[in-house]
Amino acid sequence: MIKKGFESKRENKLVCLKSDLVVVGGGLAGVCTAIVAARDGVKVVLVQDRPVLGGNASSEVRLWALGATSSMGNNNRWAREGGLINEILLENLKRNKDGNPLIFDTILLEKVYEENNISLLLNTAVYETHKSDQNKIQSIVAFCSQNATTYEIKATFFCDSSGDGIVAFQAGASFRMGAESPNEFNEGFAPDIEDYGNLLGHSLYFYSKDLGKPVEYKAPSFAINNADELPRIRNYRLNEHGCNLWWVEYGGRLDTIHQSEEIKFELWKVVYGIWDYVKNSGKYPESENLTLEWVGTIPGKRESRRFEGDYMLVQQDIVEQKDYYDRVAFGGWAMDLHPADGIYSQYNSCTQWHTKGVYSIPYRCYYSRDIDNLFLAGRIISASHVAFGSSRVMLTCSHGGQAVGKAVSICLKNKWTPRTLAKKDNIGKLQLALSRDGQSIPRLDIPDNKDLIQIATISSSSDLKIDQLKPCEEWKKLKFNMAQLLPLEANKKYCFKFKFKASNHTFISITLKTSSKQKHFTPDIELEYKKFPLKKGIQEISFSCEKKIPIDSYVYICINQNKAVDIMQSDYRFPGVMSLFQKETPAVSNYGKQEPPMGIGIDSFDFWTPEKMPGGKNVAMSIVPPIQNFFSTNLLNNNLRPTADGYSNVWQADLNDKNPELKIKWDLSQKIMSICLFFDCDFDNALPSVLVTHPYAEIPFTVREYKIYNGKNIIYEKSNNYQAINRIIFDEPIITNELKVVLSKKEKKIPVSLYKISAYAEKQP
């Protein structure tokens, strides 16, 4: 029993903590920051004001996590984010391919729970920030509502990934809120604030469920009763739920921080009013057996403060894919702005303008220009309102968070400030560390002098040559323009043979296209064009190039639409090779071609996008001379995905090689403490975290089984791999001048492949 008499005042229980890093905000960006830092030995306290991790990706909000792939609706080939966030998505695919948001919660929690260097404080809200001097944070104070405990946490570095930037705000860091004028950064897409508004609003989702019997519904008194007058109600489709309802948005003309509760209540009014309209208007008779299964209790917030770093990302950086010396992450979502009036707006639900390829993000966007020990992650990084329209999406935020986590580790080891790390002589340390983690920084191939494989001789039992994409006796009607994307060599003339089936006498046109810049995969340059007559029935057509391919490049063999013609398909698949279609993906404002208004600084171009698996079969064809882009020497470069300069960057074994071998030899014996293998995980495939059901629990391209030998002795074997990166750390060093890696073929019609293998004399270089 506890019995206390009267006291004039009592204080909450106080717990004082000290760490290397405090991460405030447990969304995907904060989670990635914390885990990456912790895996490098940094002591981290992760403070999250909600009961679950994930932020907008959590079961509280249920927004799918997307990024540069733009749900496979743009020209950003092989663009899914790498490193830790890819590890998380592949884990979610394995255990949660049906997209249950509750399971995704547990995967995030597990990843954090397994890191001994992370102290996790859930339901804990920061309310004070203390500084040791004008430009340095000393500690934060937070309160946990569930255990009535106040935490005072001191640290060397702080990372604000809280969405609204509570720590950065209280520390006095420079920030912006709202849209810049077009003149400030010469951004043609900057909105007209009078009609379009300053801010993007919040969204609130709901789920419905069929109970198999009639269900009545009476709306609460606060629900709107005029849902039929909402301009966006035309967007609603019965049985559509979750984040497909992103257009149920409101609050862009209000203070999205201090009026957030008002915005939420207005969205409740709208959601319950929409459901009343669905159930009781008589216009949706199929809803008779439906009930509301779930309505969000906190909205997904898009925009509030953006804090200023030493560089601010702007529209031109994204459109032109500018590469700065300190690039550490990338994005590729469209510049995506929404009318501030949201659900009540007469405008389209959003305006999205894509770019021809992925853009890189400078490290200088990820720390405060005012506070010497404050990093920024998530949507609050240093970006203009227009650039924020792209950089705000969760996988882009996560990718940046990984860079911050690694930056903290380097700053601690070198006793640097974030700004010191940004110097041209220092930033290479961060870029190399991220490269080792599979970050895949665009157009940056940084040498790794500690990688022992770089001084070895590497050979393989076989290297793939593609002289044909074998037919599978399945035909594809040419309802859309179709293309086969292939990596071709300079100074060669190619001949391609295809099989067509025509329903009548007609013509078929074939065009060879490539990209104007080796920064993107948009086919905006025509190399050759030919038109062929077709007779009724099945026939073979041969396209012989009149000109040599000018430079090593990815080339699109474009077969023009003709609904009277079918083309033979192949069900053989190869990393770095794919089929594409010029068709619409309205969900991401892709209507086959992008044609922006004049003068807004955005390119016009055609979209060529893949079909999602198990669709997307290749075009059956023969190829002379064969494509030889898949040598074992590819394992020596640092690109972990195909690049627009025409290189697949992947070693692939011959299709008939069921247990291909890699042999690695050194002139002198080496001490090896760790080995890292980078497998193909189909970076072109978007892996939304929730709502979507994926056809496979594992990526078919990823090698499942392999063994590593030192002489005749097996020093490591794996039998159930589904991850892209396998990092092997030995208890005792391996002393050898030769290793052999034997990999097992998983899929009959997909070759064994590997992007890179590294070996180090240290456990963690």
Side-chain angles (χ1 to χ4, degrees), residues 481-486 488 494-496 498 509-514 543 554-560 580 608 619 621-623 627:
N481 294 337
M482 185 178 184
Q484 185 65 46
L485 182 58
L486 299 171
L488 302 185
Y494 287 87
C495 179
F496 310 100
F498 313 91
S509 299
I510 301 176
T511 310
L512 262 59
K513 293 185 175 183
T514 191
F543 186 109
Y554 266 94
V555 173
Y556 292 70
I557 307 169
C558 303
I559 300 121
N560 289 354
L580 301 160
W608 291 84
V619 174
M621 64 171 71
S622 65
I623 306 167
I627 298 173

PDB file of all heavy atoms in Angstrom, residues 481-486 488 494-496 498 509-514 543 554-560 580 608 619 621-623 627:
ATOM      1  N   ASN A 481       1.808   1.235 -77.506  1.00  0.00           N
ATOM      2  CA  ASN A 481       3.196   1.175 -77.942  1.00  0.00           C
ATOM      3  C   ASN A 481       3.988   0.360 -76.924  1.00  0.00           C
ATOM      4  O   ASN A 481       3.864   0.570 -75.712  1.00  0.00           O
ATOM      5  CB  ASN A 481       3.793   2.574 -78.052  1.00  0.00           C
ATOM      6  CG  ASN A 481       3.147   3.408 -79.134  1.00  0.00           C
ATOM      7  OD1 ASN A 481       2.556   2.879 -80.082  1.00  0.00           O
ATOM      8  ND2 ASN A 481       3.252   4.721 -79.014  1.00  0.00           N
ATOM      9  N   MET A 482       4.793  -0.559 -77.415  1.00  0.00           N
ATOM     10  CA  MET A 482       5.540  -1.459 -76.544  1.00  0.00           C
ATOM     11  C   MET A 482       7.018  -1.331 -76.862  1.00  0.00           C
ATOM     12  O   MET A 482       7.393  -1.069 -78.006  1.00  0.00           O
ATOM     13  CB  MET A 482       5.076  -2.899 -76.750  1.00  0.00           C
ATOM     14  CG  MET A 482       5.686  -3.922 -75.813  1.00  0.00           C
ATOM     15  SD  MET A 482       5.016  -5.589 -76.112  1.00  0.00           S
ATOM     16  CE  MET A 482       5.823  -6.499 -74.794  1.00  0.00           C
ATOM     17  N   ALA A 483       7.869  -1.508 -75.860  1.00  0.00           N
ATOM     18  CA  ALA A 483       9.311  -1.409 -76.085  1.00  0.00           C
ATOM     19  C   ALA A 483      10.041  -2.491 -75.316  1.00  0.00           C
ATOM     20  O   ALA A 483       9.601  -2.910 -74.235  1.00  0.00           O
ATOM     21  CB  ALA A 483       9.829  -0.032 -75.671  1.00  0.00           C
ATOM     22  N   GLN A 484      11.149  -2.926 -75.881  1.00  0.00           N
ATOM     23  CA  GLN A 484      12.076  -3.800 -75.169  1.00  0.00           C
ATOM     24  C   GLN A 484      13.320  -2.974 -74.862  1.00  0.00           C
ATOM     25  O   GLN A 484      13.924  -2.384 -75.760  1.00  0.00           O
ATOM     26  CB  GLN A 484      12.439  -5.013 -76.008  1.00  0.00           C
ATOM     27  CG  GLN A 484      13.306  -6.014 -75.281  1.00  0.00           C
ATOM     28  CD  GLN A 484      12.588  -6.668 -74.099  1.00  0.00           C
ATOM     29  OE1 GLN A 484      11.438  -7.084 -74.217  1.00  0.00           O
ATOM     30  NE2 GLN A 484      13.251  -6.717 -72.959  1.00  0.00           N
ATOM     31  N   LEU A 485      13.686  -2.933 -73.592  1.00  0.00           N
ATOM     32  CA  LEU A 485      14.820  -2.132 -73.137  1.00  0.00           C
ATOM     33  C   LEU A 485      16.039  -3.035 -72.979  1.00  0.00           C
ATOM     34  O   LEU A 485      16.009  -3.999 -72.202  1.00  0.00           O
ATOM     35  CB  LEU A 485      14.475  -1.450 -71.813  1.00  0.00           C
ATOM     36  CG  LEU A 485      15.512  -0.521 -71.184  1.00  0.00           C
ATOM     37  CD1 LEU A 485      15.873   0.612 -72.122  1.00  0.00           C
ATOM     38  CD2 LEU A 485      14.997   0.032 -69.860  1.00  0.00           C
ATOM     39  N   LEU A 486      17.112  -2.716 -73.705  1.00  0.00           N
ATOM     40  CA  LEU A 486      18.298  -3.556 -73.732  1.00  0.00           C
ATOM     41  C   LEU A 486      19.564  -2.706 -73.591  1.00  0.00           C
ATOM     42  O   LEU A 486      19.638  -1.607 -74.149  1.00  0.00           O
ATOM     43  CB  LEU A 486      18.389  -4.323 -75.054  1.00  0.00           C
ATOM     44  CG  LEU A 486      17.255  -5.291 -75.396  1.00  0.00           C
ATOM     45  CD1 LEU A 486      17.416  -5.790 -76.825  1.00  0.00           C
ATOM     46  CD2 LEU A 486      17.233  -6.462 -74.425  1.00  0.00           C
ATOM     47  N   LEU A 488      22.989  -1.969 -74.947  1.00  0.00           N
ATOM     48  CA  LEU A 488      23.713  -2.259 -76.180  1.00  0.00           C
ATOM     49  C   LEU A 488      25.073  -1.566 -76.197  1.00  0.00           C
ATOM     50  O   LEU A 488      25.261  -0.527 -75.561  1.00  0.00           O
ATOM     51  CB  LEU A 488      22.893  -1.825 -77.396  1.00  0.00           C
ATOM     52  CG  LEU A 488      21.502  -2.465 -77.540  1.00  0.00           C
ATOM     53  CD1 LEU A 488      20.854  -2.034 -78.851  1.00  0.00           C
ATOM     54  CD2 LEU A 488      21.560  -3.982 -77.436  1.00  0.00           C
ATOM     55  N   TYR A 494      23.184  -3.907 -84.851  1.00  0.00           N
ATOM     56  CA  TYR A 494      22.420  -5.047 -84.338  1.00  0.00           C
ATOM     57  C   TYR A 494      21.321  -5.437 -85.320  1.00  0.00           C
ATOM     58  O   TYR A 494      20.822  -4.604 -86.100  1.00  0.00           O
ATOM     59  CB  TYR A 494      21.797  -4.706 -82.989  1.00  0.00           C
ATOM     60  CG  TYR A 494      22.787  -4.651 -81.852  1.00  0.00           C
ATOM     61  CD1 TYR A 494      23.492  -3.485 -81.564  1.00  0.00           C
ATOM     62  CD2 TYR A 494      23.027  -5.770 -81.066  1.00  0.00           C
ATOM     63  CE1 TYR A 494      24.406  -3.428 -80.520  1.00  0.00           C
ATOM     64  CE2 TYR A 494      23.939  -5.727 -80.011  1.00  0.00           C
ATOM     65  CZ  TYR A 494      24.620  -4.561 -79.744  1.00  0.00           C
ATOM     66  OH  TYR A 494      25.519  -4.516 -78.712  1.00  0.00           O
ATOM     67  N   CYS A 495      20.953  -6.694 -85.234  1.00  0.00           N
ATOM     68  CA  CYS A 495      19.804  -7.200 -85.983  1.00  0.00           C
ATOM     69  C   CYS A 495      18.868  -7.897 -85.004  1.00  0.00           C
ATOM     70  O   CYS A 495      19.313  -8.753 -84.218  1.00  0.00           O
ATOM     71  CB  CYS A 495      20.245  -8.167 -87.074  1.00  0.00           C
ATOM     72  SG  CYS A 495      18.866  -8.864 -88.018  1.00  0.00           S
ATOM     73  N   PHE A 496      17.598  -7.520 -85.031  1.00  0.00           N
ATOM     74  CA  PHE A 496      16.591  -8.095 -84.141  1.00  0.00           C
ATOM     75  C   PHE A 496      15.501  -8.754 -84.980  1.00  0.00           C
ATOM     76  O   PHE A 496      15.038  -8.165 -85.958  1.00  0.00           O
ATOM     77  CB  PHE A 496      15.968  -7.010 -83.263  1.00  0.00           C
ATOM     78  CG  PHE A 496      16.969  -6.126 -82.570  1.00  0.00           C
ATOM     79  CD1 PHE A 496      17.275  -4.868 -83.073  1.00  0.00           C
ATOM     80  CD2 PHE A 496      17.618  -6.553 -81.427  1.00  0.00           C
ATOM     81  CE1 PHE A 496      18.195  -4.049 -82.444  1.00  0.00           C
ATOM     82  CE2 PHE A 496      18.546  -5.736 -80.788  1.00  0.00           C
ATOM     83  CZ  PHE A 496      18.840  -4.483 -81.298  1.00  0.00           C
ATOM     84  N   PHE A 498      11.641 -10.545 -84.762  1.00  0.00           N
ATOM     85  CA  PHE A 498      10.433 -10.657 -83.956  1.00  0.00           C
ATOM     86  C   PHE A 498       9.411 -11.515 -84.692  1.00  0.00           C
ATOM     87  O   PHE A 498       9.446 -11.620 -85.921  1.00  0.00           O
ATOM     88  CB  PHE A 498       9.811  -9.283 -83.703  1.00  0.00           C
ATOM     89  CG  PHE A 498      10.780  -8.225 -83.267  1.00  0.00           C
ATOM     90  CD1 PHE A 498      11.417  -7.406 -84.199  1.00  0.00           C
ATOM     91  CD2 PHE A 498      11.061  -8.032 -81.931  1.00  0.00           C
ATOM     92  CE1 PHE A 498      12.308  -6.424 -83.807  1.00  0.00           C
ATOM     93  CE2 PHE A 498      11.945  -7.048 -81.519  1.00  0.00           C
ATOM     94  CZ  PHE A 498      12.570  -6.240 -82.463  1.00  0.00           C
ATOM     95  N   SER A 509       5.339  -0.565 -87.297  1.00  0.00           N
ATOM     96  CA  SER A 509       6.464   0.375 -87.255  1.00  0.00           C
ATOM     97  C   SER A 509       7.339   0.073 -86.051  1.00  0.00           C
ATOM     98  O   SER A 509       6.826  -0.174 -84.948  1.00  0.00           O
ATOM     99  CB  SER A 509       5.955   1.813 -87.186  1.00  0.00           C
ATOM    100  OG  SER A 509       5.190   2.123 -88.322  1.00  0.00           O
ATOM    101  N   ILE A 510       8.640   0.121 -86.255  1.00  0.00           N
ATOM    102  CA  ILE A 510       9.603  -0.134 -85.185  1.00  0.00           C
ATOM    103  C   ILE A 510      10.609   1.021 -85.166  1.00  0.00           C
ATOM    104  O   ILE A 510      11.151   1.399 -86.204  1.00  0.00           O
ATOM    105  CB  ILE A 510      10.334  -1.468 -85.386  1.00  0.00           C
ATOM    106  CG1 ILE A 510       9.316  -2.621 -85.428  1.00  0.00           C
ATOM    107  CG2 ILE A 510      11.354  -1.702 -84.273  1.00  0.00           C
ATOM    108  CD1 ILE A 510       9.931  -3.977 -85.713  1.00  0.00           C
ATOM    109  N   THR A 511      10.833   1.554 -83.969  1.00  0.00           N
ATOM    110  CA  THR A 511      11.756   2.676 -83.798  1.00  0.00           C
ATOM    111  C   THR A 511      12.775   2.338 -82.725  1.00  0.00           C
ATOM    112  O   THR A 511      12.415   1.807 -81.670  1.00  0.00           O
ATOM    113  CB  THR A 511      10.998   3.951 -83.379  1.00  0.00           C
ATOM    114  OG1 THR A 511       9.899   4.164 -84.261  1.00  0.00           O
ATOM    115  CG2 THR A 511      11.911   5.161 -83.399  1.00  0.00           C
ATOM    116  N   LEU A 512      14.026   2.625 -82.990  1.00  0.00           N
ATOM    117  CA  LEU A 512      15.064   2.528 -81.965  1.00  0.00           C
ATOM    118  C   LEU A 512      15.239   3.906 -81.340  1.00  0.00           C
ATOM    119  O   LEU A 512      15.447   4.894 -82.037  1.00  0.00           O
ATOM    120  CB  LEU A 512      16.383   2.061 -82.577  1.00  0.00           C
ATOM    121  CG  LEU A 512      16.708   0.571 -82.460  1.00  0.00           C
ATOM    122  CD1 LEU A 512      15.645  -0.267 -83.107  1.00  0.00           C
ATOM    123  CD2 LEU A 512      18.083   0.278 -83.028  1.00  0.00           C
ATOM    124  N   LYS A 513      15.132   3.941 -80.002  1.00  0.00           N
ATOM    125  CA  LYS A 513      15.288   5.202 -79.277  1.00  0.00           C
ATOM    126  C   LYS A 513      16.284   5.030 -78.144  1.00  0.00           C
ATOM    127  O   LYS A 513      16.495   3.925 -77.646  1.00  0.00           O
ATOM    128  CB  LYS A 513      13.944   5.675 -78.705  1.00  0.00           C
ATOM    129  CG  LYS A 513      12.922   6.072 -79.754  1.00  0.00           C
ATOM    130  CD  LYS A 513      11.671   6.652 -79.099  1.00  0.00           C
ATOM    131  CE  LYS A 513      10.689   7.162 -80.131  1.00  0.00           C
ATOM    132  NZ  LYS A 513       9.503   7.799 -79.509  1.00  0.00           N
ATOM    133  N   THR A 514      16.851   6.148 -77.732  1.00  0.00           N
ATOM    134  CA  THR A 514      17.713   6.157 -76.560  1.00  0.00           C
ATOM    135  C   THR A 514      17.520   7.478 -75.825  1.00  0.00           C
ATOM    136  O   THR A 514      16.662   8.291 -76.202  1.00  0.00           O
ATOM    137  CB  THR A 514      19.185   5.939 -76.954  1.00  0.00           C
ATOM    138  OG1 THR A 514      19.955   5.710 -75.771  1.00  0.00           O
ATOM    139  CG2 THR A 514      19.747   7.127 -77.719  1.00  0.00           C
ATOM    140  N   PHE A 543      14.634  -6.606 -88.117  1.00  0.00           N
ATOM    141  CA  PHE A 543      15.047  -5.199 -88.074  1.00  0.00           C
ATOM    142  C   PHE A 543      16.570  -5.166 -88.018  1.00  0.00           C
ATOM    143  O   PHE A 543      17.171  -5.480 -86.992  1.00  0.00           O
ATOM    144  CB  PHE A 543      14.448  -4.505 -86.846  1.00  0.00           C
ATOM    145  CG  PHE A 543      14.690  -3.020 -86.786  1.00  0.00           C
ATOM    146  CD1 PHE A 543      13.664  -2.123 -86.982  1.00  0.00           C
ATOM    147  CD2 PHE A 543      15.962  -2.515 -86.532  1.00  0.00           C
ATOM    148  CE1 PHE A 543      13.883  -0.755 -86.919  1.00  0.00           C
ATOM    149  CE2 PHE A 543      16.194  -1.152 -86.464  1.00  0.00           C
ATOM    150  CZ  PHE A 543      15.148  -0.269 -86.668  1.00  0.00           C
ATOM    151  N   TYR A 554      21.508   2.264 -72.931  1.00  0.00           N
ATOM    152  CA  TYR A 554      20.256   1.514 -72.972  1.00  0.00           C
ATOM    153  C   TYR A 554      19.456   1.995 -74.172  1.00  0.00           C
ATOM    154  O   TYR A 554      19.283   3.195 -74.383  1.00  0.00           O
ATOM    155  CB  TYR A 554      19.464   1.693 -71.677  1.00  0.00           C
ATOM    156  CG  TYR A 554      19.739   0.588 -70.681  1.00  0.00           C
ATOM    157  CD1 TYR A 554      20.709   0.731 -69.696  1.00  0.00           C
ATOM    158  CD2 TYR A 554      19.054  -0.617 -70.763  1.00  0.00           C
ATOM    159  CE1 TYR A 554      20.978  -0.298 -68.802  1.00  0.00           C
ATOM    160  CE2 TYR A 554      19.309  -1.648 -69.879  1.00  0.00           C
ATOM    161  CZ  TYR A 554      20.270  -1.490 -68.903  1.00  0.00           C
ATOM    162  OH  TYR A 554      20.541  -2.522 -68.032  1.00  0.00           O
ATOM    163  N   VAL A 555      18.989   1.048 -74.963  1.00  0.00           N
ATOM    164  CA  VAL A 555      18.241   1.356 -76.182  1.00  0.00           C
ATOM    165  C   VAL A 555      16.850   0.746 -76.077  1.00  0.00           C
ATOM    166  O   VAL A 555      16.686  -0.389 -75.631  1.00  0.00           O
ATOM    167  CB  VAL A 555      18.974   0.824 -77.432  1.00  0.00           C
ATOM    168  CG1 VAL A 555      18.107   0.987 -78.679  1.00  0.00           C
ATOM    169  CG2 VAL A 555      20.304   1.560 -77.611  1.00  0.00           C
ATOM    170  N   TYR A 556      15.863   1.544 -76.485  1.00  0.00           N
ATOM    171  CA  TYR A 556      14.470   1.099 -76.521  1.00  0.00           C
ATOM    172  C   TYR A 556      14.142   0.649 -77.938  1.00  0.00           C
ATOM    173  O   TYR A 556      14.246   1.435 -78.884  1.00  0.00           O
ATOM    174  CB  TYR A 556      13.534   2.237 -76.149  1.00  0.00           C
ATOM    175  CG  TYR A 556      13.607   2.705 -74.718  1.00  0.00           C
ATOM    176  CD1 TYR A 556      14.713   3.392 -74.230  1.00  0.00           C
ATOM    177  CD2 TYR A 556      12.551   2.470 -73.847  1.00  0.00           C
ATOM    178  CE1 TYR A 556      14.776   3.833 -72.926  1.00  0.00           C
ATOM    179  CE2 TYR A 556      12.598   2.907 -72.532  1.00  0.00           C
ATOM    180  CZ  TYR A 556      13.704   3.583 -72.080  1.00  0.00           C
ATOM    181  OH  TYR A 556      13.761   4.014 -70.781  1.00  0.00           O
ATOM    182  N   ILE A 557      13.759  -0.600 -78.087  1.00  0.00           N
ATOM    183  CA  ILE A 557      13.239  -1.082 -79.364  1.00  0.00           C
ATOM    184  C   ILE A 557      11.719  -0.932 -79.288  1.00  0.00           C
ATOM    185  O   ILE A 557      11.031  -1.733 -78.654  1.00  0.00           O
ATOM    186  CB  ILE A 557      13.636  -2.542 -79.619  1.00  0.00           C
ATOM    187  CG1 ILE A 557      15.149  -2.702 -79.478  1.00  0.00           C
ATOM    188  CG2 ILE A 557      13.161  -2.993 -80.997  1.00  0.00           C
ATOM    189  CD1 ILE A 557      15.596  -4.142 -79.445  1.00  0.00           C
ATOM    190  N   CYS A 558      11.208   0.136 -79.881  1.00  0.00           N
ATOM    191  CA  CYS A 558       9.803   0.526 -79.716  1.00  0.00           C
ATOM    192  C   CYS A 558       8.968  -0.031 -80.867  1.00  0.00           C
ATOM    193  O   CYS A 558       9.235   0.273 -82.035  1.00  0.00           O
ATOM    194  CB  CYS A 558       9.675   2.048 -79.676  1.00  0.00           C
ATOM    195  SG  CYS A 558      10.668   2.831 -78.388  1.00  0.00           S
ATOM    196  N   ILE A 559       7.969  -0.818 -80.543  1.00  0.00           N
ATOM    197  CA  ILE A 559       7.057  -1.386 -81.528  1.00  0.00           C
ATOM    198  C   ILE A 559       5.737  -0.640 -81.396  1.00  0.00           C
ATOM    199  O   ILE A 559       5.108  -0.658 -80.332  1.00  0.00           O
ATOM    200  CB  ILE A 559       6.871  -2.890 -81.310  1.00  0.00           C
ATOM    201  CG1 ILE A 559       8.227  -3.613 -81.428  1.00  0.00           C
ATOM    202  CG2 ILE A 559       5.887  -3.470 -82.312  1.00  0.00           C
ATOM    203  CD1 ILE A 559       8.631  -4.361 -80.217  1.00  0.00           C
ATOM    204  N   ASN A 560       5.340   0.034 -82.461  1.00  0.00           N
ATOM    205  CA  ASN A 560       4.203   0.940 -82.380  1.00  0.00           C
ATOM    206  C   ASN A 560       2.880   0.189 -82.295  1.00  0.00           C
ATOM    207  O   ASN A 560       2.718  -0.903 -82.845  1.00  0.00           O
ATOM    208  CB  ASN A 560       4.188   1.892 -83.579  1.00  0.00           C
ATOM    209  CG  ASN A 560       5.297   2.917 -83.500  1.00  0.00           C
ATOM    210  OD1 ASN A 560       6.012   2.994 -82.507  1.00  0.00           O
ATOM    211  ND2 ASN A 560       5.457   3.699 -84.554  1.00  0.00           N
ATOM    212  N   LEU A 580       8.496  -2.483 -71.676  1.00  0.00           N
ATOM    213  CA  LEU A 580       7.839  -1.254 -71.231  1.00  0.00           C
ATOM    214  C   LEU A 580       6.689  -0.927 -72.172  1.00  0.00           C
ATOM    215  O   LEU A 580       6.655  -1.399 -73.316  1.00  0.00           O
ATOM    216  CB  LEU A 580       8.832  -0.090 -71.208  1.00  0.00           C
ATOM    217  CG  LEU A 580      10.051  -0.265 -70.309  1.00  0.00           C
ATOM    218  CD1 LEU A 580      11.157   0.673 -70.720  1.00  0.00           C
ATOM    219  CD2 LEU A 580       9.679  -0.047 -68.853  1.00  0.00           C
ATOM    220  N   TRP A 608       7.218   5.701 -70.554  1.00  0.00           N
ATOM    221  CA  TRP A 608       7.326   4.283 -70.893  1.00  0.00           C
ATOM    222  C   TRP A 608       7.467   3.528 -69.577  1.00  0.00           C
ATOM    223  O   TRP A 608       8.476   3.653 -68.892  1.00  0.00           O
ATOM    224  CB  TRP A 608       8.531   4.026 -71.796  1.00  0.00           C
ATOM    225  CG  TRP A 608       8.367   4.600 -73.168  1.00  0.00           C
ATOM    226  CD1 TRP A 608       8.619   5.876 -73.577  1.00  0.00           C
ATOM    227  CD2 TRP A 608       7.890   3.899 -74.319  1.00  0.00           C
ATOM    228  NE1 TRP A 608       8.342   6.019 -74.909  1.00  0.00           N
ATOM    229  CE2 TRP A 608       7.901   4.820 -75.403  1.00  0.00           C
ATOM    230  CE3 TRP A 608       7.477   2.583 -74.562  1.00  0.00           C
ATOM    231  CZ2 TRP A 608       7.497   4.463 -76.689  1.00  0.00           C
ATOM    232  CZ3 TRP A 608       7.081   2.216 -75.842  1.00  0.00           C
ATOM    233  CH2 TRP A 608       7.090   3.151 -76.890  1.00  0.00           C
ATOM    234  N   VAL A 619       9.697  -9.164 -74.784  1.00  0.00           N
ATOM    235  CA  VAL A 619       9.387  -9.436 -76.185  1.00  0.00           C
ATOM    236  C   VAL A 619      10.279 -10.584 -76.656  1.00  0.00           C
ATOM    237  O   VAL A 619      11.502 -10.537 -76.479  1.00  0.00           O
ATOM    238  CB  VAL A 619       9.641  -8.186 -77.048  1.00  0.00           C
ATOM    239  CG1 VAL A 619       9.449  -8.509 -78.528  1.00  0.00           C
ATOM    240  CG2 VAL A 619       8.715  -7.051 -76.628  1.00  0.00           C
ATOM    241  N   MET A 621      12.537 -12.455 -79.074  1.00  0.00           N
ATOM    242  CA  MET A 621      13.341 -11.963 -80.197  1.00  0.00           C
ATOM    243  C   MET A 621      14.661 -12.704 -80.251  1.00  0.00           C
ATOM    244  O   MET A 621      15.102 -13.307 -79.258  1.00  0.00           O
ATOM    245  CB  MET A 621      13.599 -10.462 -80.065  1.00  0.00           C
ATOM    246  CG  MET A 621      14.421 -10.074 -78.843  1.00  0.00           C
ATOM    247  SD  MET A 621      14.932  -8.327 -78.852  1.00  0.00           S
ATOM    248  CE  MET A 621      13.379  -7.532 -78.548  1.00  0.00           C
ATOM    249  N   SER A 622      15.301 -12.649 -81.396  1.00  0.00           N
ATOM    250  CA  SER A 622      16.701 -13.040 -81.509  1.00  0.00           C
ATOM    251  C   SER A 622      17.529 -11.769 -81.660  1.00  0.00           C
ATOM    252  O   SER A 622      17.046 -10.752 -82.178  1.00  0.00           O
ATOM    253  CB  SER A 622      16.914 -13.976 -82.693  1.00  0.00           C
ATOM    254  OG  SER A 622      16.640 -13.306 -83.910  1.00  0.00           O
ATOM    255  N   ILE A 623      18.781 -11.824 -81.205  1.00  0.00           N
ATOM    256  CA  ILE A 623      19.632 -10.636 -81.155  1.00  0.00           C
ATOM    257  C   ILE A 623      21.004 -10.998 -81.711  1.00  0.00           C
ATOM    258  O   ILE A 623      21.674 -11.900 -81.198  1.00  0.00           O
ATOM    259  CB  ILE A 623      19.767 -10.113 -79.706  1.00  0.00           C
ATOM    260  CG1 ILE A 623      18.390  -9.874 -79.083  1.00  0.00           C
ATOM    261  CG2 ILE A 623      20.615  -8.845 -79.667  1.00  0.00           C
ATOM    262  CD1 ILE A 623      18.427  -9.672 -77.575  1.00  0.00           C
ATOM    263  N   ILE A 627      24.063  -9.861 -76.769  1.00  0.00           N
ATOM    264  CA  ILE A 627      24.370  -8.854 -75.745  1.00  0.00           C
ATOM    265  C   ILE A 627      25.319  -9.476 -74.726  1.00  0.00           C
ATOM    266  O   ILE A 627      25.018 -10.523 -74.143  1.00  0.00           O
ATOM    267  CB  ILE A 627      23.090  -8.352 -75.068  1.00  0.00           C
ATOM    268  CG1 ILE A 627      22.181  -7.671 -76.095  1.00  0.00           C
ATOM    269  CG2 ILE A 627      23.418  -7.385 -73.930  1.00  0.00           C
ATOM    270  CD1 ILE A 627      20.830  -7.290 -75.549  1.00  0.00           C
TER     271      ILE A 627
END
